[in-house]
Amino acid sequence: MPLLYTIGKLTVGNVMMLGWRPRVEGLEYIPKTGGVIFAGNHLSVADELFLGSAQPRHLAFWAKSDYFNGTGVKGWFNRTLMNGLGAIRVERGGGRAALTAFDGAIPVLKAGDAVAIYPEGTRSPDGRLYRGRTGAARLAVAAGVPIIPVGMIGTEKVQPIGQVLPKPARGVVTVKFGKPIDPEGRGDDRTSLRQLTDELMAEIQKLTGQEYVPRYAPAKPAKE
């Protein structure tokens, strides 16, 4: 685990666990070693904070390329911070540029690290669970690593859309980890990836109890 991330676990991680007292279930399903993808519902920007704090693994999160490309003292600081945390660089824009995030995640997973993905692609606008995009399935098949379904409950109450920081609220958040989904034997064609994604979303729905919406979540407003 990178040093800066270890420091973050000991400081921010402990503050989250001791300050908010989230209920955590299913830790026994998380492999102690080897690459793994955490794929969960997305209710709040606090989801990553609670996910990173609630489980013991290093989590290689995604960071926009701006943090790696800056100049001057601020640019050096951001770049050093992102590299020190083991972040995965994400290029802005569509097409091939957007796929570099997945290209960057594959060696991370094959090296035995963990990556988090939100299949819905954006925060739920109304608390319901929306149709998943196939990125998590595609990455699992390409890297040959299992997917751990993650169910977040209550994070939207702690940090709703528009809230800058999580507000104090003990015992409101629950983090649930489900049984690993093994991608072995799965194809990388569109039909196979869609089937795997639908299975994943069904497992997430079992963890959260959310109403499922069989369509993609609407894009969040530009002001967010």
Side-chain angles (χ1 to χ4, degrees), residues 159-199:
Q159 191 172 5
I161 294 175
Q163 180 92 14
V164 178
L165 295 172
K167 55 187 177 182
R170 285 193 169 194
V172 173
V173 173
T174 298
V175 184
K176 295 183 178 182
F177 299 100
K179 294 181 179 180
I181 300 175
D182 190 348
E184 185 176 356
R186 306 274 189 161
D188 60 359
D189 58 282
R190 182 178 300 180
T191 300
S192 298
L193 294 177
R194 170 44 56 191
Q195 181 180 13
L196 178 54
T197 301
D198 290 343
E199 291 177 18

PDB file of all heavy atoms in Angstrom, residues 159-199:
ATOM      1  N   GLN A 159     -24.274  13.050   2.908  1.00  0.00           N
ATOM      2  CA  GLN A 159     -23.756  14.072   1.996  1.00  0.00           C
ATOM      3  C   GLN A 159     -24.602  14.103   0.724  1.00  0.00           C
ATOM      4  O   GLN A 159     -24.233  13.541  -0.292  1.00  0.00           O
ATOM      5  CB  GLN A 159     -22.288  13.821   1.657  1.00  0.00           C
ATOM      6  CG  GLN A 159     -21.635  15.002   0.921  1.00  0.00           C
ATOM      7  CD  GLN A 159     -20.143  14.834   0.757  1.00  0.00           C
ATOM      8  OE1 GLN A 159     -19.571  13.801   1.110  1.00  0.00           O
ATOM      9  NE2 GLN A 159     -19.481  15.840   0.209  1.00  0.00           N
ATOM     10  N   PRO A 160     -25.745  14.768   0.787  1.00  0.00           N
ATOM     11  CA  PRO A 160     -26.610  14.877  -0.396  1.00  0.00           C
ATOM     12  C   PRO A 160     -25.956  15.732  -1.475  1.00  0.00           C
ATOM     13  O   PRO A 160     -24.974  16.435  -1.226  1.00  0.00           O
ATOM     14  CB  PRO A 160     -27.879  15.534   0.161  1.00  0.00           C
ATOM     15  CG  PRO A 160     -27.409  16.295   1.358  1.00  0.00           C
ATOM     16  CD  PRO A 160     -26.299  15.471   1.945  1.00  0.00           C
ATOM     17  N   ILE A 161     -26.505  15.674  -2.660  1.00  0.00           N
ATOM     18  CA  ILE A 161     -25.997  16.464  -3.773  1.00  0.00           C
ATOM     19  C   ILE A 161     -25.998  17.948  -3.397  1.00  0.00           C
ATOM     20  O   ILE A 161     -27.002  18.479  -2.916  1.00  0.00           O
ATOM     21  CB  ILE A 161     -26.852  16.240  -5.038  1.00  0.00           C
ATOM     22  CG1 ILE A 161     -26.693  14.789  -5.515  1.00  0.00           C
ATOM     23  CG2 ILE A 161     -26.448  17.203  -6.152  1.00  0.00           C
ATOM     24  CD1 ILE A 161     -27.588  14.430  -6.688  1.00  0.00           C
ATOM     25  N   GLY A 162     -24.856  18.600  -3.575  1.00  0.00           N
ATOM     26  CA  GLY A 162     -24.729  20.008  -3.227  1.00  0.00           C
ATOM     27  C   GLY A 162     -24.065  20.253  -1.892  1.00  0.00           C
ATOM     28  O   GLY A 162     -23.604  21.363  -1.623  1.00  0.00           O
ATOM     29  N   GLN A 163     -23.995  19.220  -1.048  1.00  0.00           N
ATOM     30  CA  GLN A 163     -23.339  19.334   0.261  1.00  0.00           C
ATOM     31  C   GLN A 163     -21.832  19.213   0.069  1.00  0.00           C
ATOM     32  O   GLN A 163     -21.344  18.269  -0.555  1.00  0.00           O
ATOM     33  CB  GLN A 163     -23.838  18.220   1.192  1.00  0.00           C
ATOM     34  CG  GLN A 163     -23.230  18.232   2.569  1.00  0.00           C
ATOM     35  CD  GLN A 163     -24.040  19.033   3.564  1.00  0.00           C
ATOM     36  OE1 GLN A 163     -25.182  19.375   3.314  1.00  0.00           O
ATOM     37  NE2 GLN A 163     -23.436  19.352   4.695  1.00  0.00           N
ATOM     38  N   VAL A 164     -21.063  20.169   0.592  1.00  0.00           N
ATOM     39  CA  VAL A 164     -19.615  20.190   0.370  1.00  0.00           C
ATOM     40  C   VAL A 164     -18.905  19.086   1.144  1.00  0.00           C
ATOM     41  O   VAL A 164     -18.036  18.403   0.614  1.00  0.00           O
ATOM     42  CB  VAL A 164     -19.034  21.565   0.751  1.00  0.00           C
ATOM     43  CG1 VAL A 164     -17.515  21.571   0.576  1.00  0.00           C
ATOM     44  CG2 VAL A 164     -19.663  22.657  -0.105  1.00  0.00           C
ATOM     45  N   LEU A 165     -19.280  18.904   2.404  1.00  0.00           N
ATOM     46  CA  LEU A 165     -18.650  17.904   3.259  1.00  0.00           C
ATOM     47  C   LEU A 165     -19.716  17.033   3.912  1.00  0.00           C
ATOM     48  O   LEU A 165     -20.866  17.466   4.093  1.00  0.00           O
ATOM     49  CB  LEU A 165     -17.807  18.579   4.356  1.00  0.00           C
ATOM     50  CG  LEU A 165     -16.597  19.385   3.892  1.00  0.00           C
ATOM     51  CD1 LEU A 165     -16.006  20.152   5.085  1.00  0.00           C
ATOM     52  CD2 LEU A 165     -15.547  18.491   3.256  1.00  0.00           C
ATOM     53  N   PRO A 166     -19.366  15.788   4.262  1.00  0.00           N
ATOM     54  CA  PRO A 166     -20.341  14.937   4.962  1.00  0.00           C
ATOM     55  C   PRO A 166     -20.752  15.572   6.290  1.00  0.00           C
ATOM     56  O   PRO A 166     -19.905  16.081   7.025  1.00  0.00           O
ATOM     57  CB  PRO A 166     -19.559  13.635   5.196  1.00  0.00           C
ATOM     58  CG  PRO A 166     -18.462  13.646   4.193  1.00  0.00           C
ATOM     59  CD  PRO A 166     -18.092  15.089   4.023  1.00  0.00           C
ATOM     60  N   LYS A 167     -22.042  15.564   6.578  1.00  0.00           N
ATOM     61  CA  LYS A 167     -22.499  16.125   7.842  1.00  0.00           C
ATOM     62  C   LYS A 167     -22.511  15.045   8.920  1.00  0.00           C
ATOM     63  O   LYS A 167     -22.711  13.862   8.628  1.00  0.00           O
ATOM     64  CB  LYS A 167     -23.881  16.746   7.681  1.00  0.00           C
ATOM     65  CG  LYS A 167     -24.956  15.828   7.124  1.00  0.00           C
ATOM     66  CD  LYS A 167     -26.222  16.626   6.867  1.00  0.00           C
ATOM     67  CE  LYS A 167     -27.305  15.740   6.247  1.00  0.00           C
ATOM     68  NZ  LYS A 167     -28.535  16.505   5.932  1.00  0.00           N
ATOM     69  N   PRO A 168     -22.264  15.427  10.167  1.00  0.00           N
ATOM     70  CA  PRO A 168     -22.207  14.450  11.260  1.00  0.00           C
ATOM     71  C   PRO A 168     -23.511  13.670  11.375  1.00  0.00           C
ATOM     72  O   PRO A 168     -24.597  14.261  11.436  1.00  0.00           O
ATOM     73  CB  PRO A 168     -21.968  15.318  12.493  1.00  0.00           C
ATOM     74  CG  PRO A 168     -21.354  16.575  11.967  1.00  0.00           C
ATOM     75  CD  PRO A 168     -22.000  16.794  10.636  1.00  0.00           C
ATOM     76  N   ALA A 169     -23.410  12.344  11.375  1.00  0.00           N
ATOM     77  CA  ALA A 169     -24.598  11.499  11.500  1.00  0.00           C
ATOM     78  C   ALA A 169     -24.132  10.075  11.755  1.00  0.00           C
ATOM     79  O   ALA A 169     -23.819   9.344  10.826  1.00  0.00           O
ATOM     80  CB  ALA A 169     -25.451  11.566  10.237  1.00  0.00           C
ATOM     81  N   ARG A 170     -24.075   9.678  12.996  1.00  0.00           N
ATOM     82  CA  ARG A 170     -23.593   8.339  13.343  1.00  0.00           C
ATOM     83  C   ARG A 170     -24.643   7.275  13.069  1.00  0.00           C
ATOM     84  O   ARG A 170     -25.826   7.465  13.331  1.00  0.00           O
ATOM     85  CB  ARG A 170     -23.188   8.291  14.820  1.00  0.00           C
ATOM     86  CG  ARG A 170     -21.873   8.988  15.121  1.00  0.00           C
ATOM     87  CD  ARG A 170     -21.392   8.634  16.506  1.00  0.00           C
ATOM     88  NE  ARG A 170     -20.021   9.080  16.731  1.00  0.00           N
ATOM     89  CZ  ARG A 170     -19.274   8.678  17.751  1.00  0.00           C
ATOM     90  NH1 ARG A 170     -19.774   7.828  18.627  1.00  0.00           N
ATOM     91  NH2 ARG A 170     -18.049   9.119  17.888  1.00  0.00           N
ATOM     92  N   GLY A 171     -24.158   6.140  12.548  1.00  0.00           N
ATOM     93  CA  GLY A 171     -25.023   4.990  12.360  1.00  0.00           C
ATOM     94  C   GLY A 171     -26.013   5.088  11.218  1.00  0.00           C
ATOM     95  O   GLY A 171     -26.901   4.244  11.095  1.00  0.00           O
ATOM     96  N   VAL A 172     -25.876   6.083  10.365  1.00  0.00           N
ATOM     97  CA  VAL A 172     -26.803   6.269   9.243  1.00  0.00           C
ATOM     98  C   VAL A 172     -26.380   5.453   8.028  1.00  0.00           C
ATOM     99  O   VAL A 172     -27.218   4.958   7.277  1.00  0.00           O
ATOM    100  CB  VAL A 172     -26.901   7.765   8.871  1.00  0.00           C
ATOM    101  CG1 VAL A 172     -27.727   7.964   7.606  1.00  0.00           C
ATOM    102  CG2 VAL A 172     -27.516   8.551  10.020  1.00  0.00           C
ATOM    103  N   VAL A 173     -25.071   5.285   7.842  1.00  0.00           N
ATOM    104  CA  VAL A 173     -24.526   4.639   6.642  1.00  0.00           C
ATOM    105  C   VAL A 173     -24.283   3.147   6.876  1.00  0.00           C
ATOM    106  O   VAL A 173     -23.791   2.742   7.936  1.00  0.00           O
ATOM    107  CB  VAL A 173     -23.205   5.318   6.215  1.00  0.00           C
ATOM    108  CG1 VAL A 173     -22.553   4.554   5.073  1.00  0.00           C
ATOM    109  CG2 VAL A 173     -23.469   6.767   5.820  1.00  0.00           C
ATOM    110  N   THR A 174     -24.634   2.352   5.875  1.00  0.00           N
ATOM    111  CA  THR A 174     -24.320   0.918   5.860  1.00  0.00           C
ATOM    112  C   THR A 174     -23.574   0.603   4.584  1.00  0.00           C
ATOM    113  O   THR A 174     -23.960   1.054   3.498  1.00  0.00           O
ATOM    114  CB  THR A 174     -25.598   0.064   5.924  1.00  0.00           C
ATOM    115  OG1 THR A 174     -26.298   0.330   7.147  1.00  0.00           O
ATOM    116  CG2 THR A 174     -25.260  -1.424   5.874  1.00  0.00           C
ATOM    117  N   VAL A 175     -22.492  -0.153   4.706  1.00  0.00           N
ATOM    118  CA  VAL A 175     -21.713  -0.597   3.551  1.00  0.00           C
ATOM    119  C   VAL A 175     -21.776  -2.122   3.509  1.00  0.00           C
ATOM    120  O   VAL A 175     -21.366  -2.787   4.463  1.00  0.00           O
ATOM    121  CB  VAL A 175     -20.247  -0.146   3.652  1.00  0.00           C
ATOM    122  CG1 VAL A 175     -19.488  -0.550   2.382  1.00  0.00           C
ATOM    123  CG2 VAL A 175     -20.158   1.359   3.865  1.00  0.00           C
ATOM    124  N   LYS A 176     -22.310  -2.665   2.415  1.00  0.00           N
ATOM    125  CA  LYS A 176     -22.450  -4.107   2.285  1.00  0.00           C
ATOM    126  C   LYS A 176     -21.608  -4.628   1.109  1.00  0.00           C
ATOM    127  O   LYS A 176     -21.667  -4.074   0.007  1.00  0.00           O
ATOM    128  CB  LYS A 176     -23.914  -4.488   2.050  1.00  0.00           C
ATOM    129  CG  LYS A 176     -24.842  -4.173   3.207  1.00  0.00           C
ATOM    130  CD  LYS A 176     -26.245  -4.669   2.900  1.00  0.00           C
ATOM    131  CE  LYS A 176     -27.199  -4.414   4.055  1.00  0.00           C
ATOM    132  NZ  LYS A 176     -28.563  -4.945   3.758  1.00  0.00           N
ATOM    133  N   PHE A 177     -20.860  -5.696   1.362  1.00  0.00           N
ATOM    134  CA  PHE A 177     -20.086  -6.353   0.322  1.00  0.00           C
ATOM    135  C   PHE A 177     -20.719  -7.710   0.016  1.00  0.00           C
ATOM    136  O   PHE A 177     -21.046  -8.468   0.941  1.00  0.00           O
ATOM    137  CB  PHE A 177     -18.635  -6.542   0.771  1.00  0.00           C
ATOM    138  CG  PHE A 177     -17.917  -5.255   1.070  1.00  0.00           C
ATOM    139  CD1 PHE A 177     -17.754  -4.818   2.376  1.00  0.00           C
ATOM    140  CD2 PHE A 177     -17.427  -4.463   0.042  1.00  0.00           C
ATOM    141  CE1 PHE A 177     -17.103  -3.626   2.663  1.00  0.00           C
ATOM    142  CE2 PHE A 177     -16.784  -3.264   0.312  1.00  0.00           C
ATOM    143  CZ  PHE A 177     -16.624  -2.843   1.627  1.00  0.00           C
ATOM    144  N   GLY A 178     -20.890  -7.999  -1.271  1.00  0.00           N
ATOM    145  CA  GLY A 178     -21.494  -9.259  -1.674  1.00  0.00           C
ATOM    146  C   GLY A 178     -20.464 -10.290  -2.092  1.00  0.00           C
ATOM    147  O   GLY A 178     -19.262 -10.019  -2.130  1.00  0.00           O
ATOM    148  N   LYS A 179     -20.938 -11.469  -2.433  1.00  0.00           N
ATOM    149  CA  LYS A 179     -20.059 -12.543  -2.859  1.00  0.00           C
ATOM    150  C   LYS A 179     -19.390 -12.181  -4.193  1.00  0.00           C
ATOM    151  O   LYS A 179     -20.027 -11.582  -5.073  1.00  0.00           O
ATOM    152  CB  LYS A 179     -20.842 -13.844  -3.020  1.00  0.00           C
ATOM    153  CG  LYS A 179     -21.403 -14.392  -1.720  1.00  0.00           C
ATOM    154  CD  LYS A 179     -22.156 -15.694  -1.963  1.00  0.00           C
ATOM    155  CE  LYS A 179     -22.706 -16.248  -0.652  1.00  0.00           C
ATOM    156  NZ  LYS A 179     -23.455 -17.517  -0.855  1.00  0.00           N
ATOM    157  N   PRO A 180     -18.114 -12.531  -4.369  1.00  0.00           N
ATOM    158  CA  PRO A 180     -17.401 -12.210  -5.620  1.00  0.00           C
ATOM    159  C   PRO A 180     -18.067 -12.867  -6.828  1.00  0.00           C
ATOM    160  O   PRO A 180     -18.559 -13.996  -6.755  1.00  0.00           O
ATOM    161  CB  PRO A 180     -16.002 -12.790  -5.382  1.00  0.00           C
ATOM    162  CG  PRO A 180     -15.881 -12.929  -3.901  1.00  0.00           C
ATOM    163  CD  PRO A 180     -17.255 -13.226  -3.401  1.00  0.00           C
ATOM    164  N   ILE A 181     -18.075 -12.154  -7.914  1.00  0.00           N
ATOM    165  CA  ILE A 181     -18.548 -12.683  -9.195  1.00  0.00           C
ATOM    166  C   ILE A 181     -17.324 -12.986 -10.047  1.00  0.00           C
ATOM    167  O   ILE A 181     -16.545 -12.080 -10.371  1.00  0.00           O
ATOM    168  CB  ILE A 181     -19.460 -11.670  -9.917  1.00  0.00           C
ATOM    169  CG1 ILE A 181     -20.688 -11.346  -9.052  1.00  0.00           C
ATOM    170  CG2 ILE A 181     -19.889 -12.211 -11.280  1.00  0.00           C
ATOM    171  CD1 ILE A 181     -21.580 -10.263  -9.629  1.00  0.00           C
ATOM    172  N   ASP A 182     -17.123 -14.242 -10.382  1.00  0.00           N
ATOM    173  CA  ASP A 182     -15.945 -14.677 -11.129  1.00  0.00           C
ATOM    174  C   ASP A 182     -16.188 -14.526 -12.628  1.00  0.00           C
ATOM    175  O   ASP A 182     -17.158 -15.085 -13.154  1.00  0.00           O
ATOM    176  CB  ASP A 182     -15.649 -16.138 -10.780  1.00  0.00           C
ATOM    177  CG  ASP A 182     -14.300 -16.615 -11.322  1.00  0.00           C
ATOM    178  OD1 ASP A 182     -13.698 -15.896 -12.150  1.00  0.00           O
ATOM    179  OD2 ASP A 182     -13.868 -17.707 -10.928  1.00  0.00           O
ATOM    180  N   PRO A 183     -15.329 -13.796 -13.343  1.00  0.00           N
ATOM    181  CA  PRO A 183     -15.529 -13.606 -14.780  1.00  0.00           C
ATOM    182  C   PRO A 183     -14.960 -14.743 -15.636  1.00  0.00           C
ATOM    183  O   PRO A 183     -15.052 -14.698 -16.861  1.00  0.00           O
ATOM    184  CB  PRO A 183     -14.772 -12.306 -15.054  1.00  0.00           C
ATOM    185  CG  PRO A 183     -13.616 -12.385 -14.116  1.00  0.00           C
ATOM    186  CD  PRO A 183     -14.162 -13.031 -12.854  1.00  0.00           C
ATOM    187  N   GLU A 184     -14.374 -15.755 -15.000  1.00  0.00           N
ATOM    188  CA  GLU A 184     -13.745 -16.831 -15.765  1.00  0.00           C
ATOM    189  C   GLU A 184     -14.760 -17.509 -16.689  1.00  0.00           C
ATOM    190  O   GLU A 184     -15.874 -17.847 -16.282  1.00  0.00           O
ATOM    191  CB  GLU A 184     -13.155 -17.878 -14.816  1.00  0.00           C
ATOM    192  CG  GLU A 184     -12.383 -18.976 -15.545  1.00  0.00           C
ATOM    193  CD  GLU A 184     -11.712 -19.952 -14.608  1.00  0.00           C
ATOM    194  OE1 GLU A 184     -11.775 -19.728 -13.375  1.00  0.00           O
ATOM    195  OE2 GLU A 184     -11.128 -20.928 -15.089  1.00  0.00           O
ATOM    196  N   GLY A 185     -14.369 -17.682 -17.934  1.00  0.00           N
ATOM    197  CA  GLY A 185     -15.232 -18.311 -18.911  1.00  0.00           C
ATOM    198  C   GLY A 185     -16.208 -17.368 -19.587  1.00  0.00           C
ATOM    199  O   GLY A 185     -16.955 -17.782 -20.479  1.00  0.00           O
ATOM    200  N   ARG A 186     -16.215 -16.113 -19.167  1.00  0.00           N
ATOM    201  CA  ARG A 186     -17.119 -15.132 -19.778  1.00  0.00           C
ATOM    202  C   ARG A 186     -16.494 -14.567 -21.042  1.00  0.00           C
ATOM    203  O   ARG A 186     -15.285 -14.315 -21.113  1.00  0.00           O
ATOM    204  CB  ARG A 186     -17.381 -13.982 -18.810  1.00  0.00           C
ATOM    205  CG  ARG A 186     -17.879 -14.409 -17.439  1.00  0.00           C
ATOM    206  CD  ARG A 186     -19.368 -14.573 -17.418  1.00  0.00           C
ATOM    207  NE  ARG A 186     -19.851 -14.784 -16.062  1.00  0.00           N
ATOM    208  CZ  ARG A 186     -21.107 -14.612 -15.678  1.00  0.00           C
ATOM    209  NH1 ARG A 186     -22.011 -14.225 -16.563  1.00  0.00           N
ATOM    210  NH2 ARG A 186     -21.465 -14.831 -14.428  1.00  0.00           N
ATOM    211  N   GLY A 187     -17.304 -14.298 -22.028  1.00  0.00           N
ATOM    212  CA  GLY A 187     -16.814 -13.707 -23.254  1.00  0.00           C
ATOM    213  C   GLY A 187     -16.720 -12.199 -23.146  1.00  0.00           C
ATOM    214  O   GLY A 187     -17.283 -11.588 -22.229  1.00  0.00           O
ATOM    215  N   ASP A 188     -15.998 -11.586 -24.092  1.00  0.00           N
ATOM    216  CA  ASP A 188     -15.886 -10.128 -24.104  1.00  0.00           C
ATOM    217  C   ASP A 188     -16.739  -9.505 -25.200  1.00  0.00           C
ATOM    218  O   ASP A 188     -16.551  -8.343 -25.549  1.00  0.00           O
ATOM    219  CB  ASP A 188     -14.427  -9.703 -24.252  1.00  0.00           C
ATOM    220  CG  ASP A 188     -13.793 -10.215 -25.539  1.00  0.00           C
ATOM    221  OD1 ASP A 188     -14.482 -10.916 -26.327  1.00  0.00           O
ATOM    222  OD2 ASP A 188     -12.605  -9.914 -25.756  1.00  0.00           O
ATOM    223  N   ASP A 189     -17.682 -10.282 -25.735  1.00  0.00           N
ATOM    224  CA  ASP A 189     -18.609  -9.737 -26.723  1.00  0.00           C
ATOM    225  C   ASP A 189     -19.708  -8.962 -26.014  1.00  0.00           C
ATOM    226  O   ASP A 189     -19.896  -9.055 -24.793  1.00  0.00           O
ATOM    227  CB  ASP A 189     -19.226 -10.873 -27.554  1.00  0.00           C
ATOM    228  CG  ASP A 189     -19.964 -11.881 -26.676  1.00  0.00           C
ATOM    229  OD1 ASP A 189     -19.273 -12.727 -26.041  1.00  0.00           O
ATOM    230  OD2 ASP A 189     -21.198 -11.824 -26.600  1.00  0.00           O
ATOM    231  N   ARG A 190     -20.437  -8.173 -26.776  1.00  0.00           N
ATOM    232  CA  ARG A 190     -21.432  -7.269 -26.200  1.00  0.00           C
ATOM    233  C   ARG A 190     -22.497  -8.008 -25.397  1.00  0.00           C
ATOM    234  O   ARG A 190     -22.869  -7.589 -24.297  1.00  0.00           O
ATOM    235  CB  ARG A 190     -22.096  -6.461 -27.314  1.00  0.00           C
ATOM    236  CG  ARG A 190     -23.122  -5.449 -26.823  1.00  0.00           C
ATOM    237  CD  ARG A 190     -23.716  -4.654 -27.961  1.00  0.00           C
ATOM    238  NE  ARG A 190     -22.699  -3.906 -28.679  1.00  0.00           N
ATOM    239  CZ  ARG A 190     -22.956  -3.126 -29.729  1.00  0.00           C
ATOM    240  NH1 ARG A 190     -24.210  -3.011 -30.171  1.00  0.00           N
ATOM    241  NH2 ARG A 190     -21.982  -2.476 -30.342  1.00  0.00           N
ATOM    242  N   THR A 191     -22.976  -9.141 -25.928  1.00  0.00           N
ATOM    243  CA  THR A 191     -24.038  -9.891 -25.247  1.00  0.00           C
ATOM    244  C   THR A 191     -23.560 -10.440 -23.908  1.00  0.00           C
ATOM    245  O   THR A 191     -24.259 -10.346 -22.896  1.00  0.00           O
ATOM    246  CB  THR A 191     -24.529 -11.044 -26.135  1.00  0.00           C
ATOM    247  OG1 THR A 191     -25.050 -10.524 -27.361  1.00  0.00           O
ATOM    248  CG2 THR A 191     -25.624 -11.838 -25.433  1.00  0.00           C
ATOM    249  N   SER A 192     -22.354 -11.003 -23.891  1.00  0.00           N
ATOM    250  CA  SER A 192     -21.813 -11.585 -22.660  1.00  0.00           C
ATOM    251  C   SER A 192     -21.566 -10.508 -21.602  1.00  0.00           C
ATOM    252  O   SER A 192     -21.844 -10.706 -20.415  1.00  0.00           O
ATOM    253  CB  SER A 192     -20.511 -12.334 -22.956  1.00  0.00           C
ATOM    254  OG  SER A 192     -20.731 -13.407 -23.839  1.00  0.00           O
ATOM    255  N   LEU A 193     -21.034  -9.369 -22.030  1.00  0.00           N
ATOM    256  CA  LEU A 193     -20.756  -8.285 -21.092  1.00  0.00           C
ATOM    257  C   LEU A 193     -22.045  -7.701 -20.530  1.00  0.00           C
ATOM    258  O   LEU A 193     -22.104  -7.350 -19.349  1.00  0.00           O
ATOM    259  CB  LEU A 193     -19.929  -7.195 -21.774  1.00  0.00           C
ATOM    260  CG  LEU A 193     -18.508  -7.593 -22.189  1.00  0.00           C
ATOM    261  CD1 LEU A 193     -17.825  -6.444 -22.930  1.00  0.00           C
ATOM    262  CD2 LEU A 193     -17.675  -7.994 -20.972  1.00  0.00           C
ATOM    263  N   ARG A 194     -23.077  -7.621 -21.364  1.00  0.00           N
ATOM    264  CA  ARG A 194     -24.367  -7.124 -20.880  1.00  0.00           C
ATOM    265  C   ARG A 194     -24.966  -8.086 -19.862  1.00  0.00           C
ATOM    266  O   ARG A 194     -25.498  -7.679 -18.827  1.00  0.00           O
ATOM    267  CB  ARG A 194     -25.312  -6.916 -22.083  1.00  0.00           C
ATOM    268  CG  ARG A 194     -26.772  -6.622 -21.749  1.00  0.00           C
ATOM    269  CD  ARG A 194     -26.990  -5.624 -20.650  1.00  0.00           C
ATOM    270  NE  ARG A 194     -26.326  -4.343 -20.913  1.00  0.00           N
ATOM    271  CZ  ARG A 194     -26.191  -3.389 -20.001  1.00  0.00           C
ATOM    272  NH1 ARG A 194     -26.625  -3.562 -18.767  1.00  0.00           N
ATOM    273  NH2 ARG A 194     -25.595  -2.262 -20.305  1.00  0.00           N
ATOM    274  N   GLN A 195     -24.851  -9.388 -20.132  1.00  0.00           N
ATOM    275  CA  GLN A 195     -25.383 -10.380 -19.205  1.00  0.00           C
ATOM    276  C   GLN A 195     -24.669 -10.309 -17.856  1.00  0.00           C
ATOM    277  O   GLN A 195     -25.302 -10.337 -16.796  1.00  0.00           O
ATOM    278  CB  GLN A 195     -25.243 -11.781 -19.793  1.00  0.00           C
ATOM    279  CG  GLN A 195     -25.797 -12.878 -18.892  1.00  0.00           C
ATOM    280  CD  GLN A 195     -25.655 -14.262 -19.496  1.00  0.00           C
ATOM    281  OE1 GLN A 195     -24.948 -14.460 -20.476  1.00  0.00           O
ATOM    282  NE2 GLN A 195     -26.333 -15.231 -18.914  1.00  0.00           N
ATOM    283  N   LEU A 196     -23.335 -10.203 -17.896  1.00  0.00           N
ATOM    284  CA  LEU A 196     -22.562 -10.109 -16.662  1.00  0.00           C
ATOM    285  C   LEU A 196     -22.921  -8.836 -15.897  1.00  0.00           C
ATOM    286  O   LEU A 196     -23.051  -8.845 -14.668  1.00  0.00           O
ATOM    287  CB  LEU A 196     -21.064 -10.138 -16.986  1.00  0.00           C
ATOM    288  CG  LEU A 196     -20.091  -9.991 -15.807  1.00  0.00           C
ATOM    289  CD1 LEU A 196     -20.374 -11.026 -14.733  1.00  0.00           C
ATOM    290  CD2 LEU A 196     -18.648 -10.100 -16.305  1.00  0.00           C
ATOM    291  N   THR A 197     -23.092  -7.739 -16.619  1.00  0.00           N
ATOM    292  CA  THR A 197     -23.455  -6.474 -15.984  1.00  0.00           C
ATOM    293  C   THR A 197     -24.822  -6.552 -15.325  1.00  0.00           C
ATOM    294  O   THR A 197     -25.020  -6.075 -14.200  1.00  0.00           O
ATOM    295  CB  THR A 197     -23.432  -5.335 -17.017  1.00  0.00           C
ATOM    296  OG1 THR A 197     -22.121  -5.230 -17.580  1.00  0.00           O
ATOM    297  CG2 THR A 197     -23.814  -4.005 -16.380  1.00  0.00           C
ATOM    298  N   ASP A 198     -25.778  -7.172 -16.009  1.00  0.00           N
ATOM    299  CA  ASP A 198     -27.120  -7.301 -15.438  1.00  0.00           C
ATOM    300  C   ASP A 198     -27.099  -8.171 -14.180  1.00  0.00           C
ATOM    301  O   ASP A 198     -27.824  -7.904 -13.209  1.00  0.00           O
ATOM    302  CB  ASP A 198     -28.081  -7.884 -16.475  1.00  0.00           C
ATOM    303  CG  ASP A 198     -28.388  -6.908 -17.609  1.00  0.00           C
ATOM    304  OD1 ASP A 198     -28.134  -5.695 -17.429  1.00  0.00           O
ATOM    305  OD2 ASP A 198     -28.893  -7.350 -18.657  1.00  0.00           O
ATOM    306  N   GLU A 199     -26.267  -9.213 -14.185  1.00  0.00           N
ATOM    307  CA  GLU A 199     -26.124 -10.051 -12.992  1.00  0.00           C
ATOM    308  C   GLU A 199     -25.542  -9.242 -11.841  1.00  0.00           C
ATOM    309  O   GLU A 199     -25.981  -9.358 -10.685  1.00  0.00           O
ATOM    310  CB  GLU A 199     -25.217 -11.245 -13.297  1.00  0.00           C
ATOM    311  CG  GLU A 199     -25.831 -12.263 -14.238  1.00  0.00           C
ATOM    312  CD  GLU A 199     -24.863 -13.388 -14.567  1.00  0.00           C
ATOM    313  OE1 GLU A 199     -23.877 -13.570 -13.824  1.00  0.00           O
ATOM    314  OE2 GLU A 199     -25.087 -14.086 -15.568  1.00  0.00           O
TER     315      GLU A 199
END
